[in-house]
Amino acid sequence: MDLHHACGGQWDTLVTQCHLTTEELDSFLEYAGMFLCNLGNSYVSFKDRRSYQALTFTRAKETKSSSLVQQSKHCERLQIFPQMTMDGLENTIGPLLAVPPFSLGYPSRDVQSAHYPGTEALSQEEIAQVSASVGRHFLWPENTRLRKLFKNGKPVYRLLQASAENDASSSNPHQLDNDLFLMKGDHSQELSKVCSALKRAKAYASNSKKIQFLEHYIESFRTGSLEAFQASQKVWVTMSQQQWNT
């Protein structure tokens, strides 16, 4: 937006003022448009996504900035902006050109997964160790996520279980292993709304089987128990055709 204001919306003037070629300017505008269009969807791969090799604002190691930023600093029109604006441009170029991960799996520089939230990287060995510990406690992976933190310089792992019940305010989370703790309440706000809606739905259930099915669902979403979810599925498959139709 600052660049737009700097040239008064007349992007062609930047060709001469910033020593750019027309092709570079066109590529930048297309790339910036795609970037803004995909905000909030940075990990989604679109078929019409293109890489613009014509762009010359690659990172320069010795300056830790881009040639576009360097060129912009020589533009007379851009020099009227405060240093904060130029710093913002430098901070934007990196994410603008960053290569996003294009697949799911173990977290790494090129792969992202919502199963492992947070900024601390998890190795496959750490994930395997936690998985083994979780299995010993008969917990299921379908409604859990794993977050790695550091406490007093040592790694601590929190198993985040989806449930309406919330342990976030608890100072003593349930300890599963030496450095592994179970924390209920992942997606608690959303699941609380789901439970509320299912409770209202019980008033419209036409028979006891359907009520029982909904009660197991509510129990599962409230507590995070997948045993309750499995119980609901058992009720589901044992319902007769007549019970379904009534």
Side-chain angles (χ1 to χ4, degrees), residues 3-242:
L3 283 173
H4 178 271
H5 293 312
C7 64
Q10 302 299 314
W11 291 100
D12 290 342
T13 60
L14 295 180
V15 172
T16 56
Q17 291 180 357
C18 296
H19 311 290
L20 298 172
T21 67
T22 301
E23 291 75 15
E24 287 175 331
L25 177 62
D26 289 342
S27 295
F28 169 73
L29 292 177
E30 288 187 52
Y31 198 103
M34 181 184 67
F35 177 81
L36 292 173
C37 179
N38 292 343
L39 285 178
N41 296 286
S42 58
Y43 294 132
V44 178
S45 177
F46 295 97
K47 291 183 179 179
D48 61 350
R49 189 184 189 96
R50 288 180 287 174
S51 175
Y52 295 101
Q53 301 298 330
L55 297 179
T56 60
F57 39 91
T58 55
R59 286 279 175 180
K61 293 182 180 179
E62 62 276 8
T63 62
K64 295 184 179 180
S65 62
S66 65
S67 60
L68 178 64
V69 173
Q70 293 298 318
Q71 292 165 2
S72 299
K73 289 180 178 178
H74 295 294
C75 295
E76 294 181 0
R77 295 287 296 277
L78 291 180
Q79 289 177 357
I80 64 174
F81 285 92
Q83 183 62 38
M84 182 176 65
T85 299
M86 301 311 299
D87 291 341
L89 180 59
E90 291 196 36
N91 293 334
T92 303
I93 292 297
L96 187 69
L97 296 178
V99 178
F102 289 108
S103 61
L104 298 176
Y106 289 106
S108 68
R109 186 180 67 84
D110 301 317
V111 177
Q112 65 90 25
S113 174
H115 286 293
Y116 311 106
T119 58
E120 300 296 341
L122 281 154
S123 67
Q124 294 189 28
E125 291 75 15
E126 288 175 306
I127 295 172
Q129 291 174 1
V130 171
S131 297
S133 178
V134 169
R136 290 193 294 270
H137 289 274
F138 301 101
L139 293 171
W140 302 78
E142 285 84 352
N143 67 338
T144 59
R145 301 194 294 168
L146 181 62
R147 172 174 289 164
K148 178 181 178 180
L149 303 170
F150 278 93
K151 186 176 182 180
N152 298 325
K154 295 182 179 180
V156 176
Y157 306 95
R158 289 188 174 181
L159 190 68
L160 310 178
Q161 188 177 56
S163 67
E165 294 180 349
N166 199 334
D167 290 339
S169 59
S170 175
S171 58
N172 296 307
H174 180 59
Q175 187 171 5
L176 300 176
D177 219 326
N178 290 334
D179 301 314
L180 177 62
F181 299 87
L182 176 65
M183 298 288 294
K184 289 188 175 184
D186 201 17
H187 306 293
S188 61
Q189 292 185 356
E190 295 86 349
L191 289 174
S192 294
K193 294 179 181 179
V194 171
C195 289
S196 179
L198 291 175
K199 288 178 181 178
R200 293 195 299 271
K202 286 174 57 179
Y204 301 93
S206 57
N207 56 61
S208 60
K209 280 281 190 179
K210 291 181 179 179
I211 293 176
Q212 188 180 8
F213 169 79
L214 290 171
E215 287 176 342
H216 285 310
Y217 250 36
I218 294 169
E219 177 70 10
S220 176
F221 294 144
R222 182 179 65 83
T223 65
S225 169
L226 287 188
E227 287 82 0
F229 178 80
Q230 291 176 340
S232 73
Q233 301 307 293
K234 292 178 182 178
V235 174
W236 177 286
V237 298
T238 57
M239 290 177 64
S240 65
Q241 186 68 34
Q242 182 179 3

